[in-house]
Amino acid sequence: MSTLKLVATGDVLLHDRIYNISKTSDGKYDFRDKLSPAKKILSSGDISIVNLESLVAGEEMGLSSFPDFNNPIELAENLKEFGTDIVSNSNNHTMDLGEAGVLKSLENLEKIDLEYVGSYKSKKDKNRHRIIERKGIKVGFLSYTAVTLGKNPPKGKSYLLNRIVQGQTKFVRQDIERLKKEEKPDVVVVSLHYGREYPLLPVSSQKEISASVSDAGADIIIGHHPHVLQPAEWIINSRGKKTFCIYSLGNFYSGQKGLYRQIGGALSLDIEKKQGKINVKNPELKLTFVDAYKKANYQMHNLLDYISKNPYIRTTHGEFDSLEVYSELSNRFKSWMPEIELN
């Protein structure tokens, strides 16, 4: 028997108010102090995946913030240094700087040897399976976005962005079938950028797409886009198989302001392989909080550590009782999946 720990985080998307105060004396950028709790979180996984929602085309293409994001390459370097193995990069900001931005961002990721999934430089690149094997367990990764806000790849270059159009998952099914046939992974992990921004519970489109992707053969579904945490549940599909699905991991690190936009997390799952059979178990959510004030340096904290020192959470939109916030989060998640732990 062997057990692998998978760690997955929410969105990493830096506004200019963060990177403008992160420039060092040598003209580069350094986010390691601000992201310090992420090091323990990411390094705790045998495999760690981050949802990198911004391009990292760097200063060469001009750094930019909302509505078209382009972050410093040092952001990806810091994430890799902390233990990130692969980033999901299919989302509604992938095409913010057009094809040139995609290609430059991918070039920068390749320079630091950080694997990516969901947006590709060519058809050949798209057809290369993303497989990571640890402890005798092979994990295959796929990633798609159902949201583009009109920023779509040019005709004939669909490889630039894996899309789910109008909820149709035929191509997801085909990709999973090819992955399983050619690589025979023990586990298939699918990242989905979908739903609407900011609801604390999944909307119907998320549930419908997730059910279809489960039926297509996904073992684990990791949701993104709402920018707030949403619950997890077990999906039983028509084939009698069970899929773990978390509908949104919220913001892991961003400059967004608002209580639940500043609270994010990292999912931890144990993947157990015993006599050839796979069991996904021990779901845990490691909660984080970004203190979104310039004077607070946009510092990331472990939420429970922050609560232990601060009876109230202060945001630009009000002051909230810390224990009541944690209680709401815990109740919301445990009503969907009683066994999930929030730490």
Side-chain angles (χ1 to χ4, degrees):
M1 185 183 79
S2 57
T3 302
L4 176 154
K5 183 178 290 296
L6 175 72
V7 168
T9 80
D11 308 332
V12 174
L13 181 73
L14 303 192
H15 297 72
D16 52 6
R17 48 187 173 266
I18 293 181
Y19 60 71
N20 283 342
I21 62 170
S22 303
K23 200 160 190 174
T24 59
S25 58
D26 61 2
K28 295 185 179 182
Y29 295 84
D30 191 342
F31 305 98
R32 288 173 294 183
D33 285 347
K34 295 176 177 64
L35 281 166
S36 55
K39 183 173 185 178
K40 184 176 181 181
I41 290 171
L42 292 167
S43 63
S44 70
D46 295 303
I47 301 175
S48 293
I49 178 170
V50 169
N51 190 50
L52 184 58
E53 190 163 358
S54 173
L55 296 169
V56 283
E59 288 188 306
E60 184 176 330
M61 293 197 68
L63 300 184
S64 54
S65 188
F66 183 83
D68 297 322
F69 285 85
N70 178 33
N71 285 175
I73 180 58
E74 288 89 345
L75 173 63
E77 292 174 349
N78 294 163
L79 291 170
K80 179 177 171 61
E81 180 183 332
F82 280 2
T84 304
D85 296 290
I86 182 170
V87 294
S88 169
N89 63 348
S90 57
N91 57 72
N92 54 292
H93 291 292
T94 302
M95 301 300 302
D96 276 359
L97 300 185
E99 180 180 3
V102 171
L103 296 178
K104 187 62 183 178
S105 186
L106 296 180
E107 177 188 325
N108 286 340
L109 292 175
E110 288 184 328
K111 280 180 181 177
I112 64 171
D113 196 29
L114 182 54
E115 185 63 282
Y116 54 87
V117 61
S119 171
Y120 309 98
K121 61 185 180 181
S122 64
K123 189 173 181 180
K124 181 180 178 181
D125 188 27
K126 173 183 166 63
N127 288 336
R128 178 175 64 83
H129 296 301
R130 270 55 177 178
I131 295 284
I132 300 178
E133 184 171 356
R134 302 277 159 79
K135 296 185 174 180
I137 300 174
K138 288 178 71 173
V139 183
F141 292 89
L142 292 164
S143 176
Y144 306 85
T145 184
V147 186
T148 64
L149 303 181
K151 298 174 185 175
N152 300 320
K155 189 175 181 180
K157 296 186 177 181
S158 61
Y159 53 80
L160 291 171
L161 181 60
N162 267 0
R163 296 174 60 203
I164 293 173
V165 180
Q166 295 181 337
Q168 298 302 307
T169 58
K170 179 179 74 172
F171 294 115
V172 181
R173 182 180 298 274
Q174 291 173 351
D175 288 346
I176 291 175
E177 288 175 351
R178 187 173 71 87
L179 174 65
K180 288 187 172 184
K181 180 180 179 181
E182 296 178 5
E183 293 289 344
K184 296 179 173 55
D186 296 296
V187 176
V188 174
V189 177
V190 179
S191 295
L192 295 175
H193 207 85
Y194 60 176
R196 294 206 315 268
E197 292 183 321
Y198 312 124
L200 299 186
L201 296 173
V203 297
S204 59
S205 63
Q206 287 169 273
K207 299 196 75 174
E208 290 166 5
I209 290 172
S210 295
S212 184
V213 171
S214 169
D215 208 62
D219 300 292
I220 297 168
I221 295 172
I222 304 167
H224 306 287
H225 181 60
H227 294 299
V228 293
L229 290 169
Q230 292 179 346
E233 69 176 343
W234 297 102
I235 298 172
I236 307 296
N237 60 42
S238 69
R239 303 171 189 271
K241 300 290 187 179
K242 187 168 71 170
T243 300
F244 176 92
C245 174
I246 187 160
Y247 288 102
S248 175
L249 277 171
N251 288 324
F252 190 57
Y253 193 59
S254 91
Q256 284 201 336
K257 297 175 184 286
L259 177 65
Y260 288 110
R261 303 183 194 191
Q262 292 170 233
I263 295 173
L267 171 71
S268 172
L269 290 171
D270 287 342
I271 301 171
E272 181 184 85
K273 184 177 181 180
K274 187 176 183 180
Q275 296 178 341
K277 291 187 177 181
I278 293 293
N279 185 27
V280 177
K281 62 181 189 177
N282 299 333
E284 180 184 354
L285 197 60
K286 299 178 186 297
L287 299 170
T288 56
F289 173 72
V290 175
D291 200 351
Y293 288 100
K294 184 176 181 180
K295 65 181 181 182
N297 204 36
Y298 285 88
Q299 181 67 46
M300 177 190 284
H301 300 269
N302 176 289
L303 179 64
L304 294 190
D305 287 348
Y306 187 86
I307 286 174
S308 71
K309 301 169 186 172
N310 297 274
Y312 294 94
I313 297 175
R314 293 176 175 85
T315 76
T316 56
H317 297 276
E319 184 176 280
F320 305 88
D321 184 285
S322 296
L323 293 179
E324 287 181 5
V325 171
Y326 176 78
S327 178
E328 188 284 322
L329 278 165
S330 181
N331 291 337
R332 177 153 41 100
F333 270 80
K334 286 184 175 291
S335 66
W336 285 61
M337 183 177 284
E339 69 269 34
I340 195 166
E341 295 295 331
L342 277 69
N343 295 316

